[in-house]
Amino acid sequence: MGRLVALTLLGASLAFIGARLLDLRERINTFREVEPVEPQNCHLIEGIENGSEDIDILPSGLAFISSGLKYPGLPNFAPDEPGKIFLMDLNEQNPRAQVLKISGGFDKELFNPHGISIFIDKDHTVYLYVVNHPHMKSTVEIFKFEEQERSLIHLKTIKHELLVSVNDIVVLGPEQFYATRDHYFTNFFLIFLEIILDLHWSYVLFYSPKEVKVVAEGFASANGITVSSDQKYVYLADVAAKSIHIMEKHDNWDLTQLKVIQLGTFADNLTVDPATGDILAGCHPNAMKLFFYNPEDPPGSEVLRIQHVLSEKPRVSTLYANNGSVLQGSTVASVYQGKILMGTVFHKALYCEL
Ligand SMILES: [Ca+2]
Ligand SMILES: [Ca+2]
């Protein structure tokens, strides 16, 4: 009798896992291919070969690019090279990427940069906040940008027990930021379970030296985060749910959800077009190709523009789409005066004129 019960339980478990795996195959867009869309005058950025996961641009047109991310389960073509921050001046005729020197008491060998966010203080000092994964842990590094010297001075490392599996941040005040936790678990096997069971245990955290709290939760995998130009709304990409959440920001930093925009593609990082207020989303069209990398059939890239974000009917259009022949695994797109810069998890970076 005991054996019969055990066999029945085993059979039921296998059937359940099988059904979840079949469901997962659909959820990760296993069979999706993209139709190409390419703006004019595009070229790959020389010198960026190992990722450009996140990009943030100063109002003056200087772009910061985080490069060299090592993330469990995703490819990296230079596993022994530390990560870097590149700078590009988008006012130049042919903008080139240069590596920013880093000084201060900071272990550059362990630099594993992920999401980034610029903060400009009242005295116009520019700070770059960078999500870092030394030894696959999560910290937030604060750097001061020295424009003349083209360098970053490391000022501080922020750690907190709730700053776990951090993907992206958006800084809104001195040491005040929202951060996304993309998975609840940190163990690779448990992350896999979290994905196949479609657990919604990921959240958005508010951090300040005085208070740290979860301000929005229930996401499958909270990834890119940014704010509207007037700083009244927070935009969040739930990458695994293929959606963008529009949330209202309150004086006490709490967030309440206003609406969810379904995309049908895996939105990674989000930026706002300063000229229009539109959201730009760097997306993964097919997550299967991203996680099971095959150079013969690589993951593609897709950049969406979402207009009229706060209206009844936001309009979603495709700015860029490629099957991986040019750009693989796009994560972000950022615009400046008719130019667009697109980044990737582990591949190159593309610059186009719109
Ligand atoms: Ca970011
Ligand atoms: Ca991201």
Side-chain angles (χ1 to χ4, degrees):
M1 190 65 190
R3 284 183 189 173
L4 191 62
V5 171
L7 262 182
T8 309
L9 280 176
L10 180 69
S13 306
L14 287 175
F16 176 73
I17 291 169
R20 298 308 301 195
L21 284 174
L22 278 178
D23 169 57
L24 179 69
R25 207 168 61 152
E26 289 301 319
R27 274 196 282 129
I28 65 175
N29 288 3
T30 303
F31 305 108
R32 183 163 178 247
E33 300 290 339
V34 288
E35 289 296 318
V37 175
E38 188 163 336
Q40 293 180 335
N41 296 330
C42 290
H43 67 263
L44 293 165
I45 305 298
E46 203 176 311
I48 300 183
E49 303 290 336
N50 298 308
S52 41
E53 208 275 341
D54 205 7
I55 299 172
D56 204 358
I57 304 178
L58 277 169
S60 66
L62 290 177
F64 295 95
I65 303 166
S66 72
S67 178
L69 174 66
K70 295 162 195 77
Y71 188 92
L74 291 179
N76 181 294
F77 298 145
D80 300 324
E81 258 182 55
K84 300 180 182 99
I85 302 293
F86 286 96
L87 186 77
M88 280 180 79
D89 185 350
L90 300 184
N91 300 294
E92 289 173 4
Q93 195 67 28
N94 290 304
R96 290 187 310 163
Q98 63 178 126
V99 179
L100 286 175
K101 284 189 281 264
I102 296 178
S103 62
F106 174 67
D107 193 340
K108 285 177 266 185
E109 288 303 309
L110 292 179
F111 195 29
N112 185 6
H114 198 169
I116 61 174
S117 177
I118 291 168
F119 173 64
I120 307 172
D121 212 345
K122 287 194 185 84
D123 65 2
H124 308 293
T125 308
V126 173
Y127 298 91
L128 188 70
Y129 284 57
V130 182
V131 175
N132 185 18
H133 302 296
H135 299 301
M136 295 299 164
K137 301 259 188 302
S138 288
T139 60
V140 173
E141 312 292 346
I142 307 177
F143 299 95
K144 184 177 167 205
F145 175 53
E146 295 283 330
E147 188 172 339
Q148 295 301 322
E149 289 79 21
R150 292 288 199 255
S151 72
L152 294 171
I153 301 172
H154 184 258
L155 299 180
K156 190 170 182 174
T157 298
I158 294 176
K159 292 179 195 173
H160 190 275
E161 59 186 12
L162 290 176
L163 284 170
V164 180
S165 289
V166 181
N167 194 297
D168 195 17
I169 45 171
V170 59
V171 186
L172 298 175
E175 290 187 45
Q176 294 173 311
F177 55 83
Y178 290 111
T180 57
R181 175 174 184 163
D182 59 12
H183 290 104
Y184 179 79
F185 292 113
T186 50
N187 170 290
F188 195 66
F189 172 73
L190 292 175
I191 290 175
F192 182 67
L193 264 189
E194 187 176 345
I195 294 170
I196 68 161
L197 295 175
D198 195 19
L199 301 177
H200 285 233
W201 291 1
S202 140
Y203 58 67
V204 178
L205 193 73
F206 169 70
Y207 178 94
S208 75
K210 283 193 192 134
E211 186 185 26
V212 183
K213 59 179 176 179
V214 174
V215 285
E217 55 193 332
F219 305 104
S221 186
N223 196 307
I225 189 162
T226 193
V227 280
S228 59
S229 304
D230 61 10
Q231 302 213 341
K232 287 185 180 165
Y233 303 96
V234 168
Y235 305 145
L236 169 80
D238 185 341
V239 62
K242 297 181 252 187
S243 59
I244 292 178
H245 292 249
I246 311 298
M247 298 182 285
E248 191 177 351
K249 175 175 147 286
H250 300 282
D251 291 341
N252 65 358
W253 300 95
D254 283 352
L255 299 174
T256 47
Q257 185 162 295
L258 294 181
K259 70 165 108 174
V260 182
I261 303 171
Q262 290 297 337
L263 297 176
T265 182
F266 300 91
D268 196 314
N269 296 331
L270 307 176
T271 64
V272 168
D273 182 340
T276 61
D278 299 342
I279 298 176
L280 298 176
C283 306
H284 306 286
N286 181 324
M288 185 75 165
K289 291 190 189 184
L290 187 69
F291 284 103
F292 297 90
Y293 184 75
N294 172 7
E296 303 298 316
D297 184 20
S301 290
E302 189 171 36
V303 170
L304 302 181
R305 180 191 282 278
I306 299 108
Q307 293 167 289
H308 319 301
V309 174
L310 298 168
S311 74
E312 287 285 308
K313 281 207 171 92
R315 182 171 179 270
V316 181
S317 55
T318 307
L319 275 185
Y320 180 81
N322 175 263
N323 63 5
S325 60
V326 176
L327 199 67
Q328 303 177 4
S330 58
T331 48
V332 64
S334 202
V335 291
Y336 173 73
Q337 295 189 352
K339 298 146 194 170
I340 184 166
L341 198 52
M342 291 174 259
T344 63
V345 186
F346 55 85
H347 196 237
K348 303 171 191 230
L350 189 71
Y351 173 84
C352 302
E353 284 167 20
L354 289 174

